[in-house]
Amino acid sequence: MATVGTNRTLPWSWYTDPAVLELERERIFRRSWQYVGRTDEVAEPGSYASTRAAHVPVVLVRDEQEALRAFLNVCRHRGSLVCEGSGRRATLQCPYHAWTYGLDGRLLTAPRGAREGLVTDDIGLVPLALDTWGPFVFVNPDFEADPLADFLEDVPEHIAAAGIDVDALRFLRRPESELAANWKLCAENFLECYHCPVAHPGFSAVVDVSPASYLLETGRTRMSQFGAPRPEPRGSYDPAGEVERGQFHLLFPNTVINVMPGRPNLSIGPIVPVAPDRTYRFLDYLVAADADDAWVEEMLAFDAQVGDEDTLLVERVQQGVATGLIDEGMLLAESERHVAHFQALVVDALA
Ligand code: FES
Ligand SMILES: [Fe+2]
């Protein structure tokens, strides 16, 4: 394993090597809390929604007692995915041979099963750890996981301190994207604003990204950035409102939470590795129930512009690190300290 010091990046081969992704799935994503969706997606008893925690297919279920559960969305018979999309049903039936599970995960019936001596008693969908913060649902494939609160650290307090009541937010939309870059490049790009003055002119015209003003705060596995609006923003976005500064959190490994300055708002979503050089993302955008439509559109357009700029950046880096001619890169000690922290967490997990 190459040296990872304060000013050396991870070996660049880690961004292209399928064996590294395999190890990351087993050592990181197999045992981490991950954002999978919102409680309003499974509001009614009997509703289900299929989602994923990295490579792990997940089905969320609201049972008849209104308890929220998460199961591995994999049939115990021969491994088909059980549910697709979302809806409302009394049972969950596998589309392959119709093995049918209760909303509590127990196998209820299997065609021809009784006649052929199949004992269904101890068979059921595999439960996954599930917990919520306000409307936000998190799943950990490790059923014995540490509590969600440990993972969130003080992010809920930071959000509340900004005057945002997560339970009072209204869901707007979920843009999805797929990027031609390793998931770690997406996370690392999120973790520094060293690139902001160069690559995000619009964002930098609104948020003061100078080192004196833009704050980095590192928790155990939580990396946060705080940026106040410039006194007179010159961008396309009007940050007038009670939220005084932007907050950008990454909860290791792959949950991103953003708050833009201005009126109450929040976006949250995962960075999902699909292949060594492909990443899937979605972001759930929420705003105050009474948010003004014109302001919402302005904020979303502004954010989409920054997102498009970031996509280009990370896809360029993927092409650069994939050449195999350079072993590793360098990090600035202060401006890129979150990147170093993130990389140290990856190294620790894989060691
Ligand atoms: S794989 Fe699900 S019923 Fe056969
Ligand atoms: Fe960026």
Side-chain angles (χ1 to χ4, degrees):
M1 197 173 280
T3 324
V4 179
T6 51
N7 59 356
R8 294 277 173 230
T9 66
L10 292 177
W12 284 356
S13 61
W14 288 23
Y15 299 85
T16 56
D17 185 347
V20 171
L21 178 56
E22 213 34 62
L23 209 57
E24 288 167 345
R25 285 181 169 155
E26 178 197 322
R27 305 263 173 93
I28 298 175
F29 293 100
R30 166 76 181 73
R31 53 187 72 168
S32 295
W33 285 106
Q34 292 162 73
Y35 178 71
V36 295
R38 307 175 318 279
T39 53
D40 61 271
E41 294 180 77
V42 276
E44 305 298 323
S47 54
Y48 69 92
S50 46
T51 175
R52 63 198 287 178
H55 59 298
V56 178
V58 174
V59 58
L60 305 177
V61 177
R62 178 83 62 179
D63 71 17
E64 297 301 343
Q65 285 69 48
E66 304 204 1
L68 192 55
R69 301 166 186 265
F71 297 106
L72 184 64
N73 187 14
V74 172
C75 182
R76 298 297 304 277
H77 177 216
R78 299 233 318 272
S80 171
L81 298 184
V82 178
C83 298
E84 279 178 346
S86 59
R88 227 180 136 179
R89 299 191 46 145
T91 57
L92 305 176
Q93 188 173 69
C94 178
Y96 201 174
H97 312 90
W99 282 30
T100 302
Y101 302 87
L103 299 179
D104 59 0
R106 278 187 309 123
L107 180 62
L108 300 176
T109 59
R112 307 186 203 176
R115 199 169 53 173
E116 301 196 22
L118 177 75
V119 180
T120 57
D121 295 1
D122 295 330
I123 305 174
L125 297 174
V126 174
L128 307 176
L130 175 149
D131 205 349
T132 56
W133 160 41
F136 307 125
V137 182
F138 296 83
V139 161
N140 192 323
D142 177 6
F143 199 71
E144 307 292 317
D146 289 338
L148 178 70
D150 293 1
F151 162 81
L152 294 173
E153 297 189 37
D154 52 3
V155 170
E157 286 76 21
H158 278 300
I159 302 289
I164 296 171
D165 173 4
V166 291
D167 287 303
L169 295 175
R170 165 169 66 97
F171 171 66
L172 281 177
R173 67 185 73 156
R174 172 181 288 180
E176 298 176 280
S177 55
E178 206 162 310
L179 301 89
N182 183 272
W183 74 276
K184 296 188 292 298
L185 294 181
C186 300
E188 292 164 6
N189 177 66
F190 178 87
L191 286 170
E192 49 93 356
C193 211
Y194 179 34
H195 70 275
C196 294
V198 188
H200 298 308
F203 182 82
S204 304
V206 174
V207 174
D208 186 350
V209 295
S210 66
S213 163
Y214 195 85
L215 299 180
L216 305 184
E217 207 181 273
T218 318
R220 287 189 311 279
T221 54
R222 181 264 306 176
M223 290 147 271
S224 303
Q225 303 166 74
F226 300 91
R230 295 185 184 280
E232 285 172 29
R234 289 164 308 220
S236 57
Y237 168 69
D238 174 11
E242 51 270 54
V243 180
E244 285 169 12
R245 53 181 190 166
Q247 302 187 22
F248 312 100
H249 307 279
L250 187 132
L251 293 99
F252 188 80
N254 69 334
T255 299
V256 162
I257 301 171
N258 306 292
V259 170
M260 289 297 294
R263 306 187 195 151
N265 73 93
L266 186 149
S267 62
I268 180 168
I271 300 172
V272 178
V274 175
D277 60 353
R278 286 208 84 77
T279 299
Y280 164 76
R281 298 193 61 175
F282 73 78
L283 266 183
D284 281 348
Y285 282 88
L286 300 94
V287 289
D290 60 352
D292 168 76
D293 286 347
W295 178 82
V296 165
E297 289 311 319
E298 200 178 283
M299 193 254 307
L300 292 176
F302 179 87
D303 218 50
Q305 168 70 29
V306 178
D308 289 349
E309 289 163 357
D310 279 324
T311 297
L312 262 179
L313 298 176
V314 297
E315 291 186 343
R316 283 197 198 110
V317 176
Q318 183 68 32
Q319 292 182 48
V321 298
T323 59
L325 293 170
I326 300 174
D327 291 337
E328 60 194 4
M330 290 168 259
L331 295 173
L332 291 195
E334 179 54 31
S335 295
E336 294 173 303
R337 70 181 160 94
H338 277 349
V339 179
H341 189 71
F342 171 84
Q343 297 192 345
L345 291 170
V346 171
V347 170
D348 281 356
L350 301 193

